[in-house]
């Protein structure tokens, strides 16, 4: 290739710089990318001395959703589930609810208890139901995999929504033998190791919610709480939580 003369090179460089300058100004004036939606998950542990959570403060702190424990096993209902549900909705937070699995007990009655308690799962500000699976109940992997299929099928039939599976990597790799049978369900993964992304087991190609810590601090919640981020894997959070139907926005 012929080497350009110095004068030609200088003119070309000047033309290039004249194009770069307005592009740099444009980039500098672009709004920052929207932060990923965040929110806590809570249970009765966040209600020390019977204190209520100030969900309006949680919302003002910039959080978009919250997960609240509803039930556990066959006979436990979180005593703060109803006030938390009502107040977080009043504050404008999308509400997720979860059932803590006790696989030593049959899955269908647990799904029925959960579905009866959660005050509906298809209204405005409702995220899908969640199965919190972190206890094998003494079942071997084949038995636990069967139990989990039965629970998820039942709760989906009762609520009309595809449930989310909450777990953590080591539990899934060991207690569930790293099965890939559940990739049709969104994944909520707990991984506190401070990496740029969480470990995703079980053949999932992505995560939907990531519990990044169990010792976070949020205005309005006394003491430490779990913190979570939404990846956008299921689309816009507003649509996933039926907020669009509430606001009428497109």
């Amino acid at each position: 290739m012929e080497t350009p003369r110095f004068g030609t090179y200088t003119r070309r460089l000047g033309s290039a710089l004249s194009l770069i300058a307005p592009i740099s100004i444009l980039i500098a004036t672009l709004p920052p990318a929207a932060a990923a939606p965040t929110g806590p998950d809570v249970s009765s542990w966040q209600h020390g001395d019977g204190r209520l959570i100030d969900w309006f403060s949680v919302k003002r702190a910039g959080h978009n959703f919250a997960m609240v424990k509803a039930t556990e096993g066959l006979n436990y209902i979180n005593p703060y589930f109803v006030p938390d549900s009502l107040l977080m909705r009043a504050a404008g937070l999308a509400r997720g609810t979860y059932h803590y699995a006790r696989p030593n007990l049959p899955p269908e009655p647990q799904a029925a208890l959960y579905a009866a308690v959660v005050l509906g799962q298809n209204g405005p500000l409702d995220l899908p139901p969640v199965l919190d699976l972190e206890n094998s109940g003494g079942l071997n992997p084949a038995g636990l995999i069967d139990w989990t299929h039965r629970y998820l099928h039942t709760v989906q039939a009762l609520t009309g929504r595809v449930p989310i599976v909450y777990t953590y990597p080591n539990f899934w790799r060991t207690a569930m033998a790293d099965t890939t049978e559940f990739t049709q369900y969104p994944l909520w993964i707990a991984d506190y190791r401070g990496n740029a992304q969480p470990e995703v087991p079980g053949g999932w190609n992505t995560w939907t919610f990531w519990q990044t810590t169990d010792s976070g601090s949020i205005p309005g919640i006394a003491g430490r709480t779990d913190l979570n981020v939404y990846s956008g894997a299921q689309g816009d959070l507003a649509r996933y939580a039926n907020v669009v139907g509430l606001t009428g926005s497109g």
Side-chain angles (χ1 to χ4, degrees), residues 177-193:
D178 209 26
T179 178
T180 60
E181 294 182 24
F182 296 90
T183 55
Q184 71 270 37
Y185 300 103
L187 173 65
W188 177 11
I189 193 72
D191 189 339
Y192 308 153
R193 290 173 290 185

Side-chain angles (χ1 to χ4, degrees), residues 4-217:
R5 296 189 301 274
F6 180 74
T8 304
Y9 174 81
T10 303
R11 286 193 298 272
R12 289 178 181 173
L13 179 60
S15 298
L17 290 174
S18 67
L19 292 173
I20 291 171
I23 294 173
S24 300
I25 294 171
L26 176 62
I27 292 172
T29 57
L30 287 174
T38 58
D41 63 274
V42 301
S43 65
S44 61
W45 291 105
Q46 280 71 42
H47 293 272
D49 301 324
R51 286 173 292 186
L52 293 179
I53 292 172
D54 182 352
W55 288 107
F56 291 89
S57 291
V58 174
K59 178 69 172 177
R60 285 193 298 270
H63 298 287
N64 313 90
F65 65 87
M67 306 291 199
V68 57
K69 182 176 182 177
T71 51
E72 178 178 332
L74 286 174
N75 55 15
Y76 177 81
I77 299 171
N78 175 8
Y80 298 97
F81 176 75
V82 171
D84 277 337
S85 292
L86 296 176
L87 290 172
M88 67 174 62
R89 281 174 157 174
L93 288 155
R95 181 196 69 146
T97 66
Y98 67 91
H99 174 78
Y100 187 92
R102 289 295 182 185
N104 58 310
L105 301 170
E108 291 84 1
Q110 293 189 57
L113 171 66
Y114 167 82
V117 166
V118 293
L119 308 176
Q121 286 291 150
N122 294 290
L125 295 173
D126 272 331
L127 288 162
V130 177
L131 173 63
D132 180 346
L133 188 60
E134 52 183 303
N135 185 318
S136 71
L139 299 180
N140 62 25
L144 188 56
I145 289 168
D146 176 70
W147 188 100
T148 304
H149 275 304
R150 289 164 57 194
Y151 180 93
L152 293 172
H153 289 160
T154 304
V155 85
Q156 183 169 350
L158 291 173
T159 65
R161 300 192 74 179
V162 176
I164 298 166
V165 174
Y166 168 94
T167 192
Y168 59 93
N170 187 57
F171 180 85
W172 197 268
R173 287 195 311 269
T174 56
M176 295 289 279
D178 209 26
T179 178
T180 60
E181 294 182 24
F182 296 90
T183 55
Q184 71 270 37
Y185 300 103
L187 173 65
W188 177 11
I189 193 72
D191 189 339
Y192 308 153
R193 290 173 290 185
N195 298 322
Q197 293 288 328
E199 179 184 347
V200 177
W204 275 282
N205 58 19
T206 190
W207 53 274
T208 295
F209 290 96
W210 174 16
Q211 188 179 84
T212 58
T213 180
D214 61 354
S215 57
S217 178

